[in-house]
Amino acid sequence: MKHIVVDGLKLEYRDFPAQDAALPTLLLLHEGLGCVAMWRDFPEKLAKATGCRVIVWSRAGYGGSEPYAEVREWRYMHHEGEKALPALLAALNIERPVLVGHSDGGSIALIFAGAFPERPLGVAVMAPHEFVEAETLAGISAAKTTWTATDWPNKLARYHANAPRVFSDWNDTWLSPPFRDWNIEAYLPRITCPVLAIQGYDDEYATMRQIDVIAEQVAGTELLKLENCGHSPQRDQEAAVLAALAAFVRRLSGSCR
């Protein structure tokens, strides 16, 4: 594990070197309860499948990264996409990344791509959110019950320095009244880079409408809809996701690999 200081906070990350330095750098953005370690071996497999440099990091307060001092406000994904992510890229000296985001990380990637359309070379999102659905709230409400009734707190504590705060920041924010109107669709028409959007038919937190709306508002969006797949396509359908990402990167880079 490596560490880098961004806006005064020490953040953890892992850096898998490229097989071909001419290929773009892939930056992975984790889900609402995720971190570097929770990607497991997917980043390493992605680096091998694409030949690209792959960087995976834990946002402030996740994993072993230092937290923000202030309480997180409900527009936290806007802050991550418009402030924190540009600062991280500057610190890593990465100008034109390919962003690969899962769930919250996918939403953050879309916000960044809409706010800074000249920056990303491409964006791949897995189970992203652009607006709040009834299915999302039902899934997050069920997660709160599971949190209090099972050993999930102990399991999550294996990955995060402060697992209770990670869970409450995510769960309380999504279930708060102000968040019902959260919506990032206004960013979508501003995106100019190629987009790959992946969703499972069995996603417990969303419907296919979440990626269909991307295709409707971002020209040339490629959709991958997966059977037997829940909210984590990179786990439930790893081979299909790796193949799709490798093909996406080949198109972006013009590689014949």
mmCIF file of all heavy atoms in Angstrom, residues 110 113 122-126 128 130 187-199 208-225 248 251-252:
data_model
loop_
_atom_site.group_PDB
_atom_site.id
_atom_site.type_symbol
_atom_site.label_atom_id
_atom_site.label_comp_id
_atom_site.label_asym_id
_atom_site.label_seq_id
_atom_site.Cartn_x
_atom_site.Cartn_y
_atom_site.Cartn_z
ATOM 1 N N LEU A 110 -19.007 10.188 -13.264
ATOM 2 C CA LEU A 110 -19.880 10.908 -14.186
ATOM 3 C C LEU A 110 -19.909 12.400 -13.860
ATOM 4 O O LEU A 110 -19.923 13.243 -14.765
ATOM 5 C CB LEU A 110 -21.293 10.324 -14.137
ATOM 6 C CG LEU A 110 -21.440 8.898 -14.672
ATOM 7 C CD1 LEU A 110 -22.822 8.353 -14.350
ATOM 8 C CD2 LEU A 110 -21.181 8.839 -16.178
ATOM 9 N N ALA A 113 -16.688 13.818 -15.170
ATOM 10 C CA ALA A 113 -16.679 13.885 -16.630
ATOM 11 C C ALA A 113 -17.573 14.997 -17.155
ATOM 12 O O ALA A 113 -17.301 15.586 -18.205
ATOM 13 C CB ALA A 113 -17.100 12.542 -17.215
ATOM 14 N N GLY A 122 -11.936 8.406 -21.067
ATOM 15 C CA GLY A 122 -13.116 7.562 -21.126
ATOM 16 C C GLY A 122 -13.626 7.318 -19.722
ATOM 17 O O GLY A 122 -12.907 7.524 -18.741
ATOM 18 N N VAL A 123 -14.882 6.887 -19.625
ATOM 19 C CA VAL A 123 -15.500 6.586 -18.327
ATOM 20 C C VAL A 123 -16.237 5.263 -18.434
ATOM 21 O O VAL A 123 -17.072 5.080 -19.328
ATOM 22 C CB VAL A 123 -16.477 7.695 -17.886
ATOM 23 C CG1 VAL A 123 -17.255 7.260 -16.654
ATOM 24 C CG2 VAL A 123 -15.747 8.995 -17.614
ATOM 25 N N ALA A 124 -15.929 4.343 -17.527
ATOM 26 C CA ALA A 124 -16.664 3.083 -17.420
ATOM 27 C C ALA A 124 -17.301 3.038 -16.041
ATOM 28 O O ALA A 124 -16.619 3.237 -15.031
ATOM 29 C CB ALA A 124 -15.725 1.891 -17.615
ATOM 30 N N VAL A 125 -18.604 2.811 -15.998
ATOM 31 C CA VAL A 125 -19.315 2.811 -14.715
ATOM 32 C C VAL A 125 -20.050 1.489 -14.538
ATOM 33 O O VAL A 125 -20.622 0.938 -15.479
ATOM 34 C CB VAL A 125 -20.307 3.989 -14.622
ATOM 35 C CG1 VAL A 125 -19.542 5.301 -14.536
ATOM 36 C CG2 VAL A 125 -21.267 4.036 -15.806
ATOM 37 N N MET A 126 -20.019 0.987 -13.310
ATOM 38 C CA MET A 126 -20.702 -0.251 -12.957
ATOM 39 C C MET A 126 -21.715 0.056 -11.859
ATOM 40 O O MET A 126 -21.354 0.552 -10.789
ATOM 41 C CB MET A 126 -19.690 -1.295 -12.460
ATOM 42 C CG MET A 126 -18.612 -1.640 -13.485
ATOM 43 S SD MET A 126 -17.363 -2.805 -12.864
ATOM 44 C CE MET A 126 -16.448 -1.752 -11.733
ATOM 45 N N PRO A 128 -23.964 2.497 -11.525
ATOM 46 C CA PRO A 128 -23.930 3.884 -11.056
ATOM 47 C C PRO A 128 -25.326 4.367 -10.676
ATOM 48 O O PRO A 128 -26.336 3.728 -11.002
ATOM 49 C CB PRO A 128 -23.427 4.641 -12.273
ATOM 50 C CG PRO A 128 -24.035 3.875 -13.419
ATOM 51 C CD PRO A 128 -23.962 2.419 -12.994
ATOM 52 N N GLU A 130 -27.738 7.926 -10.915
ATOM 53 C CA GLU A 130 -27.915 9.307 -11.382
ATOM 54 C C GLU A 130 -29.063 9.991 -10.648
ATOM 55 O O GLU A 130 -29.179 11.208 -10.668
ATOM 56 C CB GLU A 130 -28.198 9.355 -12.888
ATOM 57 C CG GLU A 130 -27.030 8.938 -13.740
ATOM 58 C CD GLU A 130 -26.853 7.420 -13.722
ATOM 59 O OE1 GLU A 130 -27.847 6.693 -13.888
ATOM 60 O OE2 GLU A 130 -25.709 6.971 -13.513
ATOM 61 N N TYR A 187 -25.387 16.653 -15.447
ATOM 62 C CA TYR A 187 -23.992 16.496 -15.868
ATOM 63 C C TYR A 187 -23.865 15.670 -17.147
ATOM 64 O O TYR A 187 -22.874 15.797 -17.875
ATOM 65 C CB TYR A 187 -23.181 15.805 -14.768
ATOM 66 C CG TYR A 187 -22.917 16.655 -13.554
ATOM 67 C CD1 TYR A 187 -23.832 16.718 -12.511
ATOM 68 C CD2 TYR A 187 -21.743 17.394 -13.431
ATOM 69 C CE1 TYR A 187 -23.599 17.491 -11.385
ATOM 70 C CE2 TYR A 187 -21.491 18.168 -12.314
ATOM 71 C CZ TYR A 187 -22.423 18.216 -11.293
ATOM 72 O OH TYR A 187 -22.183 18.987 -10.178
ATOM 73 N N LEU A 188 -24.833 14.807 -17.403
ATOM 74 C CA LEU A 188 -24.680 13.836 -18.486
ATOM 75 C C LEU A 188 -24.525 14.454 -19.871
ATOM 76 O O LEU A 188 -23.639 14.038 -20.632
ATOM 77 C CB LEU A 188 -25.856 12.856 -18.462
ATOM 78 C CG LEU A 188 -26.011 12.020 -17.182
ATOM 79 C CD1 LEU A 188 -27.220 11.092 -17.289
ATOM 80 C CD2 LEU A 188 -24.746 11.214 -16.888
ATOM 81 N N PRO A 189 -25.342 15.439 -20.274
ATOM 82 C CA PRO A 189 -25.177 15.995 -21.623
ATOM 83 C C PRO A 189 -23.841 16.707 -21.844
ATOM 84 O O PRO A 189 -23.459 16.949 -22.991
ATOM 85 C CB PRO A 189 -26.348 16.980 -21.731
ATOM 86 C CG PRO A 189 -27.328 16.556 -20.695
ATOM 87 C CD PRO A 189 -26.506 16.011 -19.582
ATOM 88 N N ARG A 190 -23.146 17.030 -20.766
ATOM 89 C CA ARG A 190 -21.864 17.720 -20.890
ATOM 90 C C ARG A 190 -20.711 16.750 -21.140
ATOM 91 O O ARG A 190 -19.594 17.180 -21.463
ATOM 92 C CB ARG A 190 -21.562 18.517 -19.616
ATOM 93 C CG ARG A 190 -22.665 19.470 -19.178
ATOM 94 C CD ARG A 190 -22.275 20.117 -17.866
ATOM 95 N NE ARG A 190 -23.436 20.637 -17.143
ATOM 96 C CZ ARG A 190 -23.402 21.015 -15.868
ATOM 97 N NH1 ARG A 190 -22.260 20.949 -15.193
ATOM 98 N NH2 ARG A 190 -24.490 21.459 -15.269
ATOM 99 N N ILE A 191 -20.950 15.462 -20.974
ATOM 100 C CA ILE A 191 -19.891 14.467 -21.130
ATOM 101 C C ILE A 191 -19.594 14.263 -22.609
ATOM 102 O O ILE A 191 -20.502 14.025 -23.406
ATOM 103 C CB ILE A 191 -20.298 13.135 -20.468
ATOM 104 C CG1 ILE A 191 -20.481 13.328 -18.959
ATOM 105 C CG2 ILE A 191 -19.246 12.049 -20.746
ATOM 106 C CD1 ILE A 191 -21.011 12.098 -18.240
ATOM 107 N N THR A 192 -18.336 14.350 -22.977
ATOM 108 C CA THR A 192 -17.947 14.222 -24.381
ATOM 109 C C THR A 192 -17.105 12.983 -24.656
ATOM 110 O O THR A 192 -16.897 12.643 -25.818
ATOM 111 C CB THR A 192 -17.161 15.470 -24.832
ATOM 112 O OG1 THR A 192 -16.006 15.630 -23.993
ATOM 113 C CG2 THR A 192 -18.030 16.716 -24.729
ATOM 114 N N CYS A 193 -16.603 12.322 -23.622
ATOM 115 C CA CYS A 193 -15.761 11.145 -23.823
ATOM 116 C C CYS A 193 -16.625 9.890 -23.975
ATOM 117 O O CYS A 193 -17.807 9.891 -23.612
ATOM 118 C CB CYS A 193 -14.799 10.970 -22.650
ATOM 119 S SG CYS A 193 -15.595 10.535 -21.091
ATOM 120 N N PRO A 194 -16.067 8.805 -24.521
ATOM 121 C CA PRO A 194 -16.806 7.542 -24.597
ATOM 122 C C PRO A 194 -17.172 7.024 -23.203
ATOM 123 O O PRO A 194 -16.410 7.197 -22.243
ATOM 124 C CB PRO A 194 -15.816 6.597 -25.287
ATOM 125 C CG PRO A 194 -14.910 7.502 -26.060
ATOM 126 C CD PRO A 194 -14.759 8.729 -25.208
ATOM 127 N N VAL A 195 -18.330 6.400 -23.115
ATOM 128 C CA VAL A 195 -18.817 5.866 -21.841
ATOM 129 C C VAL A 195 -19.247 4.415 -22.022
ATOM 130 O O VAL A 195 -19.937 4.078 -22.992
ATOM 131 C CB VAL A 195 -20.010 6.686 -21.303
ATOM 132 C CG1 VAL A 195 -20.592 6.036 -20.046
ATOM 133 C CG2 VAL A 195 -19.586 8.121 -20.999
ATOM 134 N N LEU A 196 -18.840 3.573 -21.086
ATOM 135 C CA LEU A 196 -19.319 2.197 -20.980
ATOM 136 C C LEU A 196 -20.081 2.098 -19.672
ATOM 137 O O LEU A 196 -19.539 2.409 -18.604
ATOM 138 C CB LEU A 196 -18.132 1.221 -20.981
ATOM 139 C CG LEU A 196 -18.445 -0.239 -20.600
ATOM 140 C CD1 LEU A 196 -19.373 -0.885 -21.616
ATOM 141 C CD2 LEU A 196 -17.151 -1.044 -20.445
ATOM 142 N N ALA A 197 -21.337 1.685 -19.740
ATOM 143 C CA ALA A 197 -22.171 1.574 -18.540
ATOM 144 C C ALA A 197 -22.628 0.134 -18.371
ATOM 145 O O ALA A 197 -23.222 -0.453 -19.283
ATOM 146 C CB ALA A 197 -23.371 2.510 -18.631
ATOM 147 N N ILE A 198 -22.363 -0.428 -17.188
ATOM 148 C CA ILE A 198 -22.624 -1.832 -16.900
ATOM 149 C C ILE A 198 -23.605 -1.941 -15.742
ATOM 150 O O ILE A 198 -23.451 -1.265 -14.719
ATOM 151 C CB ILE A 198 -21.307 -2.567 -16.543
ATOM 152 C CG1 ILE A 198 -20.284 -2.421 -17.677
ATOM 153 C CG2 ILE A 198 -21.574 -4.031 -16.226
ATOM 154 C CD1 ILE A 198 -18.899 -2.929 -17.315
ATOM 155 N N GLN A 199 -24.596 -2.821 -15.901
ATOM 156 C CA GLN A 199 -25.599 -2.998 -14.846
ATOM 157 C C GLN A 199 -26.069 -4.439 -14.821
ATOM 158 O O GLN A 199 -26.194 -5.087 -15.872
ATOM 159 C CB GLN A 199 -26.804 -2.087 -15.096
ATOM 160 C CG GLN A 199 -27.859 -2.095 -14.011
ATOM 161 C CD GLN A 199 -27.607 -1.046 -12.947
ATOM 162 O OE1 GLN A 199 -26.781 -0.157 -13.121
ATOM 163 N NE2 GLN A 199 -28.302 -1.151 -11.843
ATOM 164 N N MET A 208 -32.592 -0.923 -14.318
ATOM 165 C CA MET A 208 -31.848 -0.644 -15.544
ATOM 166 C C MET A 208 -32.006 0.801 -16.001
ATOM 167 O O MET A 208 -31.222 1.292 -16.826
ATOM 168 C CB MET A 208 -32.301 -1.576 -16.666
ATOM 169 C CG MET A 208 -31.703 -2.953 -16.618
ATOM 170 S SD MET A 208 -29.915 -2.912 -16.853
ATOM 171 C CE MET A 208 -29.501 -4.589 -16.365
ATOM 172 N N ARG A 209 -32.969 1.496 -15.443
ATOM 173 C CA ARG A 209 -33.168 2.890 -15.827
ATOM 174 C C ARG A 209 -31.918 3.722 -15.537
ATOM 175 O O ARG A 209 -31.650 4.712 -16.228
ATOM 176 C CB ARG A 209 -34.372 3.457 -15.073
ATOM 177 C CG ARG A 209 -34.748 4.882 -15.472
ATOM 178 C CD ARG A 209 -35.179 4.949 -16.906
ATOM 179 N NE ARG A 209 -35.330 6.326 -17.355
ATOM 180 C CZ ARG A 209 -35.173 6.729 -18.604
ATOM 181 N NH1 ARG A 209 -34.857 5.848 -19.544
ATOM 182 N NH2 ARG A 209 -35.331 7.988 -18.928
ATOM 183 N N GLN A 210 -31.131 3.294 -14.540
ATOM 184 C CA GLN A 210 -29.943 4.061 -14.165
ATOM 185 C C GLN A 210 -28.919 4.140 -15.294
ATOM 186 O O GLN A 210 -28.250 5.166 -15.453
ATOM 187 C CB GLN A 210 -29.304 3.459 -12.909
ATOM 188 C CG GLN A 210 -30.154 3.560 -11.650
ATOM 189 C CD GLN A 210 -30.253 4.970 -11.101
ATOM 190 O OE1 GLN A 210 -29.518 5.874 -11.502
ATOM 191 N NE2 GLN A 210 -31.167 5.175 -10.168
ATOM 192 N N ILE A 211 -28.767 3.070 -16.072
ATOM 193 C CA ILE A 211 -27.812 3.173 -17.186
ATOM 194 C C ILE A 211 -28.502 3.557 -18.489
ATOM 195 O O ILE A 211 -27.870 4.139 -19.378
ATOM 196 C CB ILE A 211 -26.965 1.894 -17.359
ATOM 197 C CG1 ILE A 211 -27.819 0.679 -17.725
ATOM 198 C CG2 ILE A 211 -26.140 1.637 -16.111
ATOM 199 C CD1 ILE A 211 -26.979 -0.520 -18.157
ATOM 200 N N ASP A 212 -29.804 3.253 -18.615
ATOM 201 C CA ASP A 212 -30.516 3.674 -19.824
ATOM 202 C C ASP A 212 -30.502 5.197 -19.961
ATOM 203 O O ASP A 212 -30.383 5.730 -21.074
ATOM 204 C CB ASP A 212 -31.961 3.167 -19.792
ATOM 205 C CG ASP A 212 -32.069 1.677 -20.060
ATOM 206 O OD1 ASP A 212 -31.120 1.103 -20.642
ATOM 207 O OD2 ASP A 212 -33.091 1.074 -19.678
ATOM 208 N N VAL A 213 -30.617 5.897 -18.829
ATOM 209 C CA VAL A 213 -30.651 7.356 -18.884
ATOM 210 C C VAL A 213 -29.300 7.914 -19.329
ATOM 211 O O VAL A 213 -29.243 8.987 -19.967
ATOM 212 C CB VAL A 213 -31.074 7.943 -17.518
ATOM 213 C CG1 VAL A 213 -29.945 7.881 -16.492
ATOM 214 C CG2 VAL A 213 -31.549 9.382 -17.660
ATOM 215 N N ILE A 214 -28.222 7.199 -19.056
ATOM 216 C CA ILE A 214 -26.914 7.642 -19.551
ATOM 217 C C ILE A 214 -26.877 7.551 -21.073
ATOM 218 O O ILE A 214 -26.458 8.484 -21.761
ATOM 219 C CB ILE A 214 -25.783 6.783 -18.939
ATOM 220 C CG1 ILE A 214 -25.782 6.881 -17.414
ATOM 221 C CG2 ILE A 214 -24.424 7.232 -19.495
ATOM 222 C CD1 ILE A 214 -24.775 5.958 -16.749
ATOM 223 N N ALA A 215 -27.344 6.417 -21.592
ATOM 224 C CA ALA A 215 -27.339 6.230 -23.048
ATOM 225 C C ALA A 215 -28.217 7.261 -23.748
ATOM 226 O O ALA A 215 -27.915 7.688 -24.871
ATOM 227 C CB ALA A 215 -27.808 4.825 -23.384
ATOM 228 N N GLU A 216 -29.290 7.683 -23.112
ATOM 229 C CA GLU A 216 -30.189 8.665 -23.703
ATOM 230 C C GLU A 216 -29.561 10.063 -23.763
ATOM 231 O O GLU A 216 -29.909 10.860 -24.632
ATOM 232 C CB GLU A 216 -31.491 8.725 -22.902
ATOM 233 C CG GLU A 216 -32.346 7.466 -23.044
ATOM 234 C CD GLU A 216 -33.495 7.445 -22.042
ATOM 235 O OE1 GLU A 216 -33.671 8.459 -21.316
ATOM 236 O OE2 GLU A 216 -34.205 6.425 -21.981
ATOM 237 N N GLN A 217 -28.634 10.338 -22.856
ATOM 238 C CA GLN A 217 -28.110 11.702 -22.752
ATOM 239 C C GLN A 217 -26.639 11.853 -23.116
ATOM 240 O O GLN A 217 -26.152 12.979 -23.247
ATOM 241 C CB GLN A 217 -28.336 12.227 -21.323
ATOM 242 C CG GLN A 217 -29.810 12.247 -20.925
ATOM 243 C CD GLN A 217 -30.068 13.033 -19.661
ATOM 244 O OE1 GLN A 217 -29.662 14.189 -19.543
ATOM 245 N NE2 GLN A 217 -30.745 12.415 -18.711
ATOM 246 N N VAL A 218 -25.927 10.731 -23.274
ATOM 247 C CA VAL A 218 -24.520 10.784 -23.681
ATOM 248 C C VAL A 218 -24.375 10.003 -24.976
ATOM 249 O O VAL A 218 -24.515 8.771 -24.988
ATOM 250 C CB VAL A 218 -23.589 10.194 -22.597
ATOM 251 C CG1 VAL A 218 -22.132 10.337 -23.045
ATOM 252 C CG2 VAL A 218 -23.810 10.879 -21.261
ATOM 253 N N ALA A 219 -24.120 10.703 -26.060
ATOM 254 C CA ALA A 219 -24.052 10.071 -27.377
ATOM 255 C C ALA A 219 -22.971 8.991 -27.412
ATOM 256 O O ALA A 219 -21.864 9.190 -26.913
ATOM 257 C CB ALA A 219 -23.753 11.131 -28.440
ATOM 258 N N GLY A 220 -23.320 7.865 -28.014
ATOM 259 C CA GLY A 220 -22.353 6.794 -28.208
ATOM 260 C C GLY A 220 -22.101 5.916 -27.006
ATOM 261 O O GLY A 220 -21.189 5.088 -27.025
ATOM 262 N N THR A 221 -22.887 6.086 -25.946
ATOM 263 C CA THR A 221 -22.713 5.247 -24.762
ATOM 264 C C THR A 221 -22.923 3.783 -25.102
ATOM 265 O O THR A 221 -23.880 3.415 -25.793
ATOM 266 C CB THR A 221 -23.705 5.650 -23.657
ATOM 267 O OG1 THR A 221 -23.403 6.969 -23.212
ATOM 268 C CG2 THR A 221 -23.625 4.707 -22.466
ATOM 269 N N GLU A 222 -22.039 2.947 -24.616
ATOM 270 C CA GLU A 222 -22.162 1.496 -24.779
ATOM 271 C C GLU A 222 -22.738 0.908 -23.496
ATOM 272 O O GLU A 222 -22.245 1.190 -22.402
ATOM 273 C CB GLU A 222 -20.799 0.873 -25.064
ATOM 274 C CG GLU A 222 -20.831 -0.643 -25.181
ATOM 275 C CD GLU A 222 -19.444 -1.245 -25.314
ATOM 276 O OE1 GLU A 222 -18.464 -0.481 -25.417
ATOM 277 O OE2 GLU A 222 -19.353 -2.491 -25.291
ATOM 278 N N LEU A 223 -23.785 0.106 -23.620
ATOM 279 C CA LEU A 223 -24.418 -0.520 -22.458
ATOM 280 C C LEU A 223 -24.095 -2.003 -22.409
ATOM 281 O O LEU A 223 -24.080 -2.688 -23.438
ATOM 282 C CB LEU A 223 -25.933 -0.343 -22.501
ATOM 283 C CG LEU A 223 -26.478 1.094 -22.481
ATOM 284 C CD1 LEU A 223 -28.002 1.067 -22.473
ATOM 285 C CD2 LEU A 223 -25.949 1.860 -21.281
ATOM 286 N N LEU A 224 -23.852 -2.504 -21.211
ATOM 287 C CA LEU A 224 -23.685 -3.933 -20.984
ATOM 288 C C LEU A 224 -24.614 -4.323 -19.847
ATOM 289 O O LEU A 224 -24.412 -3.912 -18.700
ATOM 290 C CB LEU A 224 -22.231 -4.261 -20.622
ATOM 291 C CG LEU A 224 -21.947 -5.735 -20.279
ATOM 292 C CD1 LEU A 224 -22.297 -6.653 -21.440
ATOM 293 C CD2 LEU A 224 -20.489 -5.908 -19.851
ATOM 294 N N LYS A 225 -25.651 -5.105 -20.181
ATOM 295 C CA LYS A 225 -26.632 -5.542 -19.202
ATOM 296 C C LYS A 225 -26.424 -7.033 -18.943
ATOM 297 O O LYS A 225 -26.462 -7.840 -19.867
ATOM 298 C CB LYS A 225 -28.050 -5.257 -19.708
ATOM 299 C CG LYS A 225 -28.291 -3.771 -19.985
ATOM 300 C CD LYS A 225 -29.715 -3.498 -20.462
ATOM 301 C CE LYS A 225 -29.939 -2.002 -20.687
ATOM 302 N NZ LYS A 225 -31.343 -1.682 -21.080
ATOM 303 N N PHE A 248 -13.043 -1.945 -24.243
ATOM 304 C CA PHE A 248 -13.276 -0.502 -24.148
ATOM 305 C C PHE A 248 -11.946 0.253 -24.205
ATOM 306 O O PHE A 248 -11.798 1.239 -24.938
ATOM 307 C CB PHE A 248 -14.015 -0.208 -22.843
ATOM 308 C CG PHE A 248 -14.399 1.235 -22.639
ATOM 309 C CD1 PHE A 248 -15.271 1.885 -23.505
ATOM 310 C CD2 PHE A 248 -13.907 1.949 -21.547
ATOM 311 C CE1 PHE A 248 -15.645 3.208 -23.303
ATOM 312 C CE2 PHE A 248 -14.274 3.267 -21.329
ATOM 313 C CZ PHE A 248 -15.147 3.896 -22.210
ATOM 314 N N ARG A 251 -10.399 0.281 -27.679
ATOM 315 C CA ARG A 251 -11.016 1.275 -28.574
ATOM 316 C C ARG A 251 -10.521 2.680 -28.241
ATOM 317 O O ARG A 251 -10.280 3.499 -29.136
ATOM 318 C CB ARG A 251 -12.539 1.204 -28.451
ATOM 319 C CG ARG A 251 -13.145 -0.053 -29.060
ATOM 320 C CD ARG A 251 -14.663 0.064 -29.191
ATOM 321 N NE ARG A 251 -15.314 0.128 -27.897
ATOM 322 C CZ ARG A 251 -15.650 -0.933 -27.181
ATOM 323 N NH1 ARG A 251 -15.358 -2.155 -27.611
ATOM 324 N NH2 ARG A 251 -16.275 -0.807 -26.032
ATOM 325 N N LEU A 252 -10.368 2.964 -26.961
ATOM 326 C CA LEU A 252 -9.908 4.297 -26.546
ATOM 327 C C LEU A 252 -8.466 4.556 -26.981
ATOM 328 O O LEU A 252 -8.114 5.661 -27.384
ATOM 329 C CB LEU A 252 -10.002 4.427 -25.034
ATOM 330 C CG LEU A 252 -11.397 4.493 -24.403
ATOM 331 C CD1 LEU A 252 -11.295 4.535 -22.887
ATOM 332 C CD2 LEU A 252 -12.171 5.702 -24.908
#
